[in-house]
Amino acid sequence: MSRRNQGFGLTSLVATAILTATLSAGITVAFMHFLDSRGDDSRQEDEAQPANAYATQSLDQDSEPLIYIPPADLVAKMEQLPVVKRLVADPKVHVFPFRPVLIPEGGYPGEAEDLLAYTPGLNLVKGCQEEAPDLFAQHLLRGRSLYGPQRIEYAIQAFHPCDKTLVKIAKFGPNLCGHPGIVHGGMIAAFFDDAFGSIFFMDAEGRHSGVTANLTVNYRSPMLAPSTVAFALWIERVEGRKVFLRGEARSVPDVGADVSLQDERLRASDDTGKRLLGTNSVLFAEASALFIKLKPEQMVKILEKEK
């Protein structure tokens, strides 16, 4: 994957969201029975989990560097995934790192067509794979709290402006569990909310800001930890200031699953998640969200009231 060095001044990015998630009754018992039925050979990673995952996955966060840089070998492994290679090769798709460089309005010395408007006053640089970790230092998912060893270890995102779809590929480590060996449902909901925010702002092209008004998550099967997961998201419809979004969390397609994407019937279907990630991917969770468009000055007033 090509990299471009950009030496720009960065401004702080503020994002707010109101998050509510729903969980079906009895799902915990269903998860445990599901795990028993799968057996050791069905784990999503080669390495087996210890019996007491809580006790053995300790991490001294104070010893970590203040800025997390994903290991080069992990980045290379993620970039070789068939789904990532396919997205990168598509000229209609814009691929960005998890913590992208954001350029202030008027601060880019190159051509205007190199930019993709993001939040009001800030732009993404098309094709730029450089990260801006300082910009996201206080972000829940992309800052030190959850982005680091044994937590969210790496993520990449790809936006298709014509289809209004976004795919995020994430490597979840072992320290994101609820039940030992299973990614916490709240973690999945938080990642959905953040991903919905990304597609909302990319589609807005700087015209407005916005916040989450509602988020609903239905959990379909347990997401094991550690694992590599794909989040497929799309804009369902827009009604005035209301933006309705849908999304799915699925297993990352292997070569066989990626081949299933060539089915013309699937390409023409309304099943967006399968169309983006293949028929053989396992559905972990489905989500829907309602975002409300806000004018930039409305967001400023909200932040001023909180001070």
Side-chain angles (χ1 to χ4, degrees):
M1 187 181 297
S2 64
R3 303 183 63 88
R4 294 169 55 184
N5 294 323
Q6 310 290 339
F8 308 111
L10 302 175
T11 62
S12 297
L13 175 65
V14 180
T16 60
I18 305 166
L19 173 63
T20 59
T22 59
L23 181 63
S24 303
I27 198 165
T28 299
V29 175
F31 272 13
M32 301 312 292
H33 284 302
F34 185 91
L35 283 180
D36 290 341
S37 68
R38 291 182 73 175
D40 293 338
D41 292 338
S42 64
R43 301 200 66 85
Q44 293 165 297
E45 296 289 324
D46 293 336
E47 57 267 26
Q49 291 296 297
N52 188 346
Y54 293 130
T56 57
Q57 299 295 341
S58 60
L59 181 66
D60 182 7
Q61 194 167 347
D62 290 336
S63 65
E64 291 183 40
L66 292 177
I67 296 177
Y68 171 68
I69 304 299
D73 57 342
L74 175 59
V75 174
K77 181 179 179 180
M78 295 288 288
E79 290 179 349
Q80 290 304 308
L81 292 172
V83 63
V84 175
K85 294 172 71 174
R86 173 170 52 82
L87 291 169
V88 170
D90 191 337
K92 297 179 181 179
V93 173
H94 301 306
V95 178
F96 299 102
F98 195 42
R99 302 171 295 188
V101 169
L102 295 174
I103 306 302
E105 198 70 39
Y108 183 66
E111 299 296 329
E113 62 250 26
D114 291 341
L115 300 177
L116 179 68
Y118 192 57
T119 57
L122 293 174
N123 301 288
L124 294 160
V125 182
K126 299 175 184 177
C128 177
Q129 297 307 313
E130 181 182 352
E131 285 204 307
D134 289 340
L135 188 63
F136 297 88
Q138 295 182 322
H139 194 281
L140 175 63
L141 271 69
R142 310 185 203 197
R144 194 164 182 248
S145 295
L146 289 174
Y147 198 39
Q150 301 183 21
R151 303 189 295 284
I152 303 174
E153 297 181 339
Y154 182 74
I156 192 171
Q157 51 191 338
F159 175 61
H160 196 308
C162 297
D163 287 351
K164 297 184 184 299
T165 57
L166 177 73
V167 174
K168 287 203 178 192
I169 314 294
K171 175 67 167 62
F172 287 166
N175 282 8
L176 298 175
C177 297
H179 291 289
I182 302 177
V183 176
H184 196 291
M187 179 66 244
I188 298 171
F191 203 92
F192 264 124
D193 186 53
D194 181 66
F196 280 135
S198 295
I199 188 173
F200 172 85
F201 283 116
M202 288 180 184
D203 182 65
E205 296 182 338
R207 294 185 297 268
H208 50 257
S209 185
V211 293
T212 316
N214 177 268
L215 173 67
T216 300
V217 181
N218 293 309
Y219 300 89
R220 299 305 185 190
S221 58
M223 182 186 296
L224 305 186
S227 62
T228 303
V229 183
F231 287 76
L233 310 108
W234 59 96
I235 296 177
E236 189 174 46
R237 68 185 190 277
V238 178
E239 297 178 0
R241 294 176 57 208
K242 298 179 179 179
V243 180
F244 296 86
L245 307 105
R246 298 281 302 277
E248 295 179 353
R250 290 180 169 271
S251 61
V252 170
D254 57 17
V255 175
D258 229 29
V259 170
S260 72
L261 289 162
Q262 306 306 315
D263 190 330
E264 292 299 328
R265 293 169 300 174
L266 182 60
R267 288 173 177 268
S269 75
D270 292 329
D271 196 331
T272 307
K274 286 184 178 180
R275 179 168 57 85
L276 292 173
L277 299 172
T279 57
N280 296 334
S281 58
V282 176
L283 177 62
F284 297 129
E286 299 172 295
S288 60
L290 168 62
F291 272 59
I292 303 298
K293 299 177 184 178
L294 295 176
K295 296 178 181 178
E297 56 267 28
Q298 290 177 296
M299 181 61 75
V300 172
K301 290 181 178 179
I302 291 174
L303 296 173
E304 288 177 345
K305 287 181 180 179
E306 296 299 321
K307 291 182 179 179

